[in-house]
Amino acid sequence: QVELVESGGGLVQAGGSLRLSCAASGRTFSSYSMGWFRQAPGKEREFVAVIKPSWIGTDIYYTNSVKGRFAISKDNAKNTVYLQMNSLKPEDTAVYYCAADIDSGVLRTAPGEYDYWGQGTQVTVSS
């Protein structure tokens, strides 16, 4: 069982920044792929970013709408994954979730392919 706890959400003006954190339990955190997803009211949960361990370090992938603005990182010593969000836009408003893929043989972007989820943290960007 893996427990994920997100923090760092809040209200920010357009153009501002937030850093989300996701603390994970589990003795083999370093082997997990960790993803960030978001869900706006009335919309389906969508992929934001993923960081996956690889033999050369890590593989990282972003959805197009956040490339150049968001950065995902992972601190295995702290069992924590981060999402640094810069140049925020009103359309980034959503509940943000972190998720763990414990069988991280491939890089995954579909919510159904992740094994564990946090409770979510609200991000609201005002115009």
Side-chain angles (χ1 to χ4, degrees):
Q1 185 74 11
V2 176
E3 184 176 349
L4 304 174
V5 180
E6 301 101 333
S7 61
L11 173 64
V12 65
Q13 289 188 331
S17 298
L18 284 174
R19 188 176 81 154
L20 305 183
S21 300
C22 173
S25 65
R27 291 176 292 177
T28 56
F29 176 77
S30 61
S31 68
Y32 303 160
S33 283
M34 297 298 298
W36 285 98
F37 293 78
R38 65 187 180 186
Q39 188 166 17
K43 295 188 176 181
E44 294 187 351
R45 192 167 298 188
E46 66 171 357
F47 166 77
V48 176
V50 60
I51 184 166
K52 171 187 165 302
S54 73
W55 69 277
I56 57 171
T58 55
D59 293 333
I60 291 175
Y61 182 69
Y62 301 98
T63 192
N64 285 339
S65 62
V66 308
K67 284 181 182 177
R69 301 189 298 123
F70 290 12
I72 189 171
S73 61
K74 190 168 178 261
D75 186 335
N76 291 326
K78 295 182 178 180
N79 274 24
T80 301
V81 62
Y82 304 97
L83 185 68
Q84 177 67 44
M85 305 186 295
N86 300 323
S87 302
L88 282 160
K89 304 175 181 180
E91 52 263 43
D92 295 318
T93 295
V95 177
Y96 282 70
Y97 300 89
C98 69
D101 171 15
I102 62 174
D103 179 18
S104 58
V106 297
L107 197 151
R108 308 180 198 273
T109 60
E113 295 177 312
Y114 282 73
D115 304 294
Y116 297 97
W117 291 84
Q119 82 287 352
T121 186
Q122 177 71 47
V123 171
T124 303
V125 184
S126 63
S127 58

